[in-house]
Amino acid sequence: FDLFLKMAGHIMQWGLVVLAHLAELPLAVWEQHAPIAWTVPAAVLGIGWLLAPAGVPARWLGLISLLPLLLLQPARPHAGEAWLDVLDVGQGQAVLIRTHAHALLYDTGPAYHGEAGAGARIVVPNLRAFGVRRLDGLILSHDDNDHTGGAAAVLDAYPQSWVLSSAPPHSQASIPWPRGGRCVQGQRWMWDGVGFEILHPERADYNRSAVRDNDLSCVLRVRSTHYTVLLSGDIERASEMALLRRVPAQLRADVLLAPHHGSATSSTLEFLQQVQPRIAIFTVGYRNRFGHPAAAVRERYARLGIVQRRSDIDGALALRLGSELSLSAWRETHPRYWQGR
């Protein structure tokens, strides 16, 4: 009996080894994008046909109705267009930027506690639902949990991504990604007719001990054929003034992700007058303890005639930069009875 138990133990150990190797195969786990709406009822009809009583001819034809569900891919931008999805991660920030054949993530939302965080619970599931199989780049704007807390989960799911960050070498946000680099003014690249450019910080800013983490935020400019978006991280007044001195002409944008979630330390009048956005987006958590966006800041945007959208009220926001600029809110396109209660 002891010999039998020992043999069974060895068999189980070898079985676990085999299963571990199988789990590492490319197709060991099937990841499915969110299905296109009409493919779901078609698949249900197909399954119904497959489960028809014995004697019903050609039940195998039900398989054909399943193919659109599995094979049809979600729509994607045309060349020269950019799609930005501002995810609702609570008090934090995560923005997916897609061009025709590339995807970039700007920030990853917060970590909550232990292994739980926006990266695993919100960001990665949304990327998979959008059909993002490869993440080409990840920008972590600065060393703050509400912007970088979900990074480890994102890079576990998309390990091939390169990383740009302003986080210092001793920061937890910079440890897992030795292939990453610092974001520095002047870095630029082009994907599918869409231009990307880092406007801040300067290289010298990293050597100034007085510069706060917020003011080291990577400021990214995204320019499609017709429209421009400015993603400003958590920059505050000092960085806004520095940008006005260095690159005033490059600040002009149709859409602005409000600096520092609409904090009273940011969104100075001079900065907003130079950017001249049509739309401002505040990435904030519901009833957040910081009071973002500040009442004075909201009033400043309103005086300038800038349309304000908020993730705590609107949910996730989908921004489409095509021949026209469109913005839709999740809570408007997918209303639920409990919203606003």
Side-chain angles (χ1 to χ4, degrees):
F1 184 73
D2 289 342
L3 178 62
F4 172 78
L5 289 177
K6 186 179 292 185
M7 291 178 60
H10 286 307
I11 293 172
M12 290 181 65
Q13 287 179 351
W14 280 107
L16 290 173
V17 170
V18 172
L19 288 174
H21 285 294
L22 291 174
E24 294 175 358
L25 294 175
L27 297 179
V29 178
W30 176 263
E31 293 181 1
Q32 175 68 38
H33 59 78
I36 299 170
W38 68 266
T39 66
V40 176
V44 171
L45 289 173
I47 293 172
W49 187 255
L50 285 170
L51 297 177
V56 174
R59 285 184 295 169
W60 61 270
L61 290 175
L63 292 172
I64 296 176
S65 296
L66 297 176
L67 294 179
L69 181 74
L70 301 175
L71 299 180
L72 289 183
Q73 296 299 308
R76 57 184 180 179
H78 297 298
E81 296 181 352
W83 291 0
L84 285 81
D85 290 278
V86 182
L87 305 181
D88 181 8
V89 294
Q91 183 64 20
Q93 187 166 271
V95 183
L96 174 64
I97 308 167
R98 287 177 285 168
T99 64
H100 180 67
H102 294 83
L104 171 73
L105 185 66
Y106 182 90
D107 285 336
T108 61
Y112 305 140
H113 56 82
E115 296 182 358
R121 293 187 176 183
I122 300 173
V123 178
V124 171
N126 270 280
L127 297 186
R128 288 174 175 162
F130 291 140
V132 176
R133 295 188 175 275
R134 175 185 174 85
L135 192 62
D136 298 282
L138 171 62
I139 295 179
L140 302 172
S141 63
H142 66 294
D143 186 22
D144 215 342
N145 173 62
D146 60 332
H147 292 253
T148 66
V154 170
L155 286 171
D156 280 344
Y158 297 93
Q160 75 281 5
S161 173
W162 54 254
V163 182
L164 285 180
S165 174
S166 66
H170 63 271
S171 165
Q172 183 179 1
S174 63
I175 290 173
W177 316 298
R179 65 189 178 283
R182 282 180 165 176
C183 51
V184 178
Q185 177 193 347
Q187 293 167 325
R188 57 175 63 90
W189 62 96
M190 183 77 72
W191 283 342
D192 311 313
V194 178
F196 296 78
E197 183 177 5
I198 300 293
L199 302 183
H200 183 79
E202 289 186 291
R203 192 175 300 276
D205 289 335
Y206 290 104
N207 299 322
R208 299 183 181 125
S209 58
V211 179
R212 300 176 56 191
D213 287 340
N214 283 352
D215 279 317
L216 284 176
S217 292
C218 308
V219 176
L220 176 67
R221 181 177 186 245
V222 180
R223 185 175 185 181
S224 70
T225 301
H226 301 287
Y227 300 100
T228 302
V229 179
L230 192 65
L231 297 92
S232 55
D234 275 1
I235 60 170
E236 298 182 341
R237 179 181 176 82
S239 293
E240 291 180 358
M241 295 301 107
L243 284 164
L244 288 171
R245 289 193 302 270
R246 293 199 316 262
V247 289
Q250 292 162 275
L251 295 178
R252 176 73 182 89
D254 300 284
V255 181
L256 170 67
L257 257 71
H260 200 183
H261 316 283
S263 164
T265 60
S266 306
S267 296
T268 59
L269 180 61
E270 299 91 334
F271 181 75
L272 295 181
Q273 287 175 330
Q274 184 61 38
V275 178
Q276 298 180 37
R278 293 164 49 185
I279 301 170
I281 297 174
F282 297 97
T283 53
V284 290
Y286 180 65
R287 291 187 176 180
N288 66 87
R289 62 191 176 94
F290 306 102
H292 295 160
V297 170
R298 297 199 310 269
E299 184 181 344
R300 193 175 304 145
Y301 279 89
R303 285 203 313 268
L304 294 173
I306 301 168
V307 175
Q308 301 174 52
R309 303 306 294 264
R310 300 169 47 163
S311 59
D312 60 337
I313 295 174
D314 298 312
L317 291 155
L319 184 65
R320 302 294 180 252
L321 311 181
S323 56
E324 306 230 342
L325 188 154
S326 69
L327 179 66
S328 62
W330 177 263
R331 292 186 183 178
E332 294 174 354
T333 58
H334 299 77
R336 299 292 186 269
Y337 75 90
W338 59 80
Q339 290 167 357
R341 291 172 178 259

